[in-house]
Structures are given as structure tokens and as C-alpha cells.
């Protein structure tokens, strides 16, 4: 009932780029996740510039991004519920799912929450896969 008002008050007078992260909880701790964010559409009324969401672990329906047409989306695309390292192509596919909702220039790719719980080599591999996905997508989009 007070979430948006509290968030707006917290951001009042903030300078520079502002971002708000909505979290499903660390995968190492929270094993059952909701199918979607109950508060995401309300962030359209927030003065933040960027909204950070997790999509890899949840398989989130990205239709929710249609409500955030003026925001940059920090898109969580690294599944931290599994220590197995994704391929760059798998990660790129998770990013491509957003392209029909958000223009590529307004997407920042990121991991979902909880990387600190992964073994070091797994975390490094996942970040390499994310960087590889960014490189693939830049080439596809002619941004290189």
C-alpha cells in the first residue's frame, strides 16, 4: 500500500542515474519462487531510470516489461540456482526474449542475485558466458 510512495520519497532529489532492484531472493536460500513480480507494474510510476529484475532462475514471462516502456531494464540472465555454467548462446537467448518488449539499447545484462553462493570457478565461468553473450548480441545487432 505504501511501497511506491516510499520509493518515490527515497528517490526525491537524487541526482545521476537511479536504479531499483526487485529480487526473488538468493537461489541458494530461497528455493520456491513466485511465477512473477507482484509489484513490477507499479514501478512505471517511479522516477527511477532503471529497473533491475531476475529472469533466468524464474523463467519470468517478459510481458511484464511492457509496463516499463520508459525505463532501462537491468536484465538478470544468469541462473544462480545451478552451478553449471551456461553457454554464451543460452545466455544470449535469455536476453533475446526481451527484445520484443524493450529495445536492445535499453537493456543492461546482469546475473540474477546470489552469485556469492557459487563456487569461484562456476561464478567466473558464468560471468564469461555473460560477456560472451554480450559479444554475440552486439554482432547480431551490428553494434560492433
Amino acid at each position: 500500500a505504501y511501497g511506491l510512495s516510499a520509493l518515490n520519497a527515497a528517490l526525491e532529489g537524487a541526482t545521476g542515474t537511479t536504479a531499483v532492484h526487485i529480487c526473488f531472493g538468493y537461489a541458494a536460500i530461497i528455493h520456491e519462487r513466485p511465477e512473477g513480480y507482484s509489484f513490477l507494474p507499479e514501478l512505471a510510476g517511479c522516477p527511477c531510470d532503471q529497473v533491475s529484475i531476475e529472469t533466468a532462475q524464474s523463467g519470468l514471462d517478459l510481458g511484464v516489461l511492457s509496463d516499463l516502456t520508459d525505463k532501462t531494464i537491468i536484465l538478470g540472465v544468469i541462473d544462480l540456482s545451478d552451478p553449471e555454467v551456461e553457454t554464451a548462446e543460452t545466455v544470449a537467448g535469455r536476453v533475446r526474449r526481451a527484445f520484443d518488449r524493450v529495445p536492445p539499447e535499453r537493456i543492461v545484462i546482469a546475473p540474477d542475485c546470489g552469485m556469492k553462493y557459487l563456487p569461484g570457478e562456476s561464478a567466473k565461468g558464468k560471468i564469461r558466458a555473460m560477456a560472451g553473450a554480450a559479444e554475440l548480441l552486439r554482432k547480431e545487432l551490428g553494434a560492433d
Side-chain angles (χ1 to χ4, degrees):
Y2 304 103
L4 188 58
S5 297
L7 184 56
N8 289 347
L11 291 172
E12 189 174 322
T15 59
T17 302
T18 56
V20 174
H21 174 68
I22 304 291
C23 188
F24 280 129
Y26 295 144
I29 298 170
I30 308 296
H31 302 290
E32 295 196 23
R33 299 171 176 282
E35 291 184 15
Y37 292 105
S38 59
F39 193 72
L40 196 58
E42 286 80 0
L43 292 181
C46 171
C48 71
D49 302 302
Q50 302 178 343
V51 175
S52 172
I53 61 172
E54 299 175 293
T55 68
Q57 294 158 180
S58 65
L60 183 72
D61 174 4
L62 297 185
V64 298
L65 298 179
S66 297
D67 295 326
L68 303 171
T69 56
D70 66 334
K71 309 289 185 201
T72 292
I73 304 300
I74 303 170
L75 192 68
V77 293
I78 299 294
D79 185 350
L80 303 178
S81 66
D82 182 357
E84 192 69 31
V85 175
E86 299 97 321
T87 65
E89 181 54 45
T90 295
V91 176
R94 292 175 184 156
V95 178
R96 287 184 200 102
R97 292 183 336 122
F99 287 171
D100 64 337
R101 305 288 180 182
V102 179
E105 62 273 9
R106 284 204 356 247
I107 296 173
V108 175
I109 64 174
D112 283 8
C113 288
M115 183 146 317
K116 69 182 182 177
Y117 293 103
L118 290 178
E121 286 307 308
S122 176
K124 289 175 193 174
K126 286 176 176 280
I127 292 298
R128 282 191 294 273
M130 191 171 73
E135 185 177 346
L136 284 171
L137 294 166
R138 280 190 208 99
K139 286 179 182 172
E140 286 175 17
L141 297 167
D144 255 356

